[in-house]
Amino acid sequence: MRIKQVVITNYQSYYGKNVFDFVEGVNIIHGANGHGKTKFFEAIEWIFDDYESNLEGLISQKAVHNEIKEGINVQVSVRMTVSQGNETKTIEKSFIAHKNNESISISRPSLIGIREEETGERYQVDFPKELRSEIFDERIRRYSMFKGETDLKVFESKDALSTLIEMFSDATYLKNYIPKAEYFVGRAENAVTAAGKKNAREEKQYAILSEEIINLRREISDKEKERNQHEINIDKIQSSILKYENIIENAESYQTLSERIRIKEEEISKLQVRVRECENYTQDLFDKNWILVNYKPVFEEYKTKIANVSKTKRRLENEFQQKIGEKKAIENLKNGIIPLPIGAPTRSHMEEMIEAELCKVCNREAPKGSEAYEFMNNRLQEYIEAVEKDMFEKKQLFKHNYINSLTKISDSNDENISNLIKMESKISENFEFVESRKADINKKIEEREKDEAERAKVIGGSKIDVGSAATILRDFKGLNTNIKDENTSLRSLTNIINSKKEKLADFQNQKNNLDIANVAGYLMKTQELLNDVLTITVETTEKEFNNLVIDLEKQANEIFQSTNEGAYTGKIKLYKSKRGNQNQVEFKVLDNFNNPFALNGAQEVLAHTSLLLAISKMVKNEANESYPLILDAPLSTFDSNKYPAFFNSFKENTDQCIILVKDFIKEDENKKISIDSSFYQADIVKDKSLWVKLDENSIENQIETTNSVVIEL
């Protein structure tokens, strides 16, 4: 099977129709993180699954914003066209989304299958799911599509390899005959037993032997089931132990790094709080009067104007009062006297002198009715009238005192101006503080990321939730205790089963001797013949399976060595075992002394990839069919010098592969991305290259603008 074309329409980041054309050989799809590379992989997965949940999440947000919200119906679809045998087959999965009031209504997904025969006849099939399985069987697809390096380690399960091998070996067909052979052997044994009971001289002994044989077979079957469960438990525990081993070897380092990371996260958090407190710029403009930072020249101009106005007011007032004074002086001079100022003597003194009829200024009597008395009395009345006139009719040029109020404002703001001058330096210091703390935050983040990368190395890249090192150590001890208990139980059960099998063999021999003496020869020969048929069928099935395992191991090692030329990386070893009647194949990498070989991340991926490619060749040889391999981001732990060998291994061992990578994307100082020139070197094998990237109208953090486009390189 070859994938010819994939068309993605309005699916996730792909707005509108996007066409991917593929060829035989190595197809490479470039894509930076977040540009739609993995969405392509998920689109193919979506064609082959039947889940209908979260369909709204699959709709392109740009389609939602530009079309659905405007009342336009949108079709979301993924279509794959393949060549298989002499036919071209197309499978398409889609649904319709449209606006319903303020929400989005979605139709049930539909599946369409189209078959085009060699003659050119093209028609839609009645059962598209069957065509879909025909194109890419689920059992094959499980070992053909891998997201990330962790998925590539699929052969850590003992059942994974045996399932694949049995699918494509002749053992599969032979295995179907084993239950039938067992049935006929059972019928023959029953016939012999019935004849033996009828003809046996020692009927009681024969009945006891037959019953013992039946009971022992049942007990052995029960014990084997129990043993099988212990073997499953041991495999699970062993798998968990393997996951923890890398961590346990470096538990102390892990714990130290975790504590360092925790401290740095606290420091980052505290710094971020301080930055947030100092970055309330809009609020500070008003609450802290930052908006007045450039107010000084305005205020200085205000002070100058108020001072000038005040000075002018005082001059005008003084001139006005002088004119009033001059007028009064002239009137008094007309009478030929220069008057004392109003209020001299005081009112109380004047009233006292009038009452005493004595002028205490010149110390002369002033009897009532005399000229002196009348003068003092008139003087008092003038004073009273002058005071009342000042109170109620005082003549002023300016009735109000606004200038004084403005002057007070000016004087009071002199202190504020000094504060404003200080504020400018405070604002500057605030900005410098914020920038300095941001630099500290970035530095702390870099340090934390380095520690996290170091910790990732310590835990061997495992994705399990490891928790704290103390918890890991405790769990690890518990796992080791559990596996010891399971192994003890397994040994005990194995001894019991072996003992019972010995008893069964003894009883069976005794019964056989009685059968030979009492049962007709043809029945015995029939039983013997059917036993031989069963034995041959079982042994041939095992032999076919074993031969395929040996061949697979050989091819996997050839590929593994070619991808690691010039470096010693151990050898791949496949161990066949039985759990009950089920074959199992365990995958390991050993050194020259058959001890487990410690692989780094890239070597481990290459070991699994080598086995994967060997299986791909096996499928082609055994089933006369090949399937494409689709890998998303398989190179994250690889050094660039390993890239050529990796791509070349796929070129030499598969008919078609689609590899999605981010490793050749580079970004310049302006955050503009491009394909690195190293990709175009001759040693990077490729038959076709595509580039998935966000178009120029896509705006970061605005998902409604996101659109991934496909560029053919």
Side-chain angles (χ1 to χ4, degrees), residues 27-149:
N27 296 266
I28 297 176
I29 299 178
H30 298 277
N33 288 335
H35 282 239
K37 169 173 52 67
T38 298
K39 299 304 179 190
F40 167 84
F41 186 93
E42 291 172 356
I44 295 179
E45 285 184 314
W46 184 63
I47 295 177
F48 291 97
D49 74 42
D50 291 317
Y51 297 112
E52 296 184 10
S53 60
N54 193 32
L55 292 176
E56 188 171 338
L58 302 181
I59 308 170
S60 159
Q61 287 303 301
K62 191 165 186 177
V64 171
H65 185 76
N66 289 0
E67 298 182 30
I68 294 176
K69 286 185 177 179
E70 300 300 321
I72 303 170
N73 290 359
V74 166
Q75 182 184 43
V76 178
S77 67
V78 181
R79 183 173 77 239
M80 177 189 283
T81 301
V82 307
S83 60
Q84 195 168 34
N86 295 320
E87 295 181 326
T88 298
K89 303 170 184 177
T90 299
I91 195 81
E92 181 176 4
K93 187 176 181 180
S94 65
F95 62 85
I96 302 295
H98 65 275
K99 185 178 181 181
N100 183 9
N101 296 325
E102 296 304 314
S103 62
I104 297 175
S105 291
I106 296 171
S107 67
R108 288 192 63 182
S110 64
L111 193 67
I112 296 172
I114 298 171
R115 188 188 299 273
E116 184 176 336
E117 296 180 350
E118 190 177 13
T119 58
E121 183 182 357
R122 193 170 186 270
Y123 56 90
Q124 187 170 318
V125 301
D126 295 328
F127 303 102
K129 284 188 178 182
E130 290 182 7
L131 181 66
R132 185 176 68 178
S133 295
E134 191 181 303
I135 289 172
F136 216 166
D137 187 283
E138 190 273 335
R139 295 171 299 173
I140 299 294
R141 197 171 67 253
R142 192 187 311 165
Y143 302 103
S144 300
M145 294 181 65
F146 303 93
K147 184 190 287 187
E149 292 184 353

Side-chain angles (χ1 to χ4, degrees), residues 257-319:
L257 286 165
S258 294
E259 181 61 16
R260 276 165 53 183
I261 290 166
R262 185 191 67 77
I263 292 169
K264 283 188 174 65
E265 285 175 344
E266 285 183 359
E267 290 172 346
I268 291 166
S269 180
K270 287 177 181 176
L271 286 168
Q272 286 172 336
V273 168
R274 294 181 70 184
V275 167
R276 282 196 297 272
E277 289 173 350
C278 295
E279 273 193 320
N280 294 323
Y281 298 136
T282 304
Q283 185 176 329
D284 291 343
L285 278 172
F286 301 98
D287 290 357
K288 294 184 179 179
N289 293 325
W290 283 12
I291 199 168
L292 300 176
V293 70
N294 293 316
Y295 174 65
K296 185 183 176 184
V298 176
F299 179 68
E300 291 296 337
E301 184 181 354
Y302 167 81
K303 276 183 67 177
T304 301
K305 286 183 177 179
I306 293 301
N308 290 337
V309 169
S310 178
K311 198 179 292 182
T312 303
K313 178 199 170 189
R314 290 196 310 275
R315 180 178 58 78
L316 292 173
E317 184 71 54
N318 189 51
E319 289 174 356

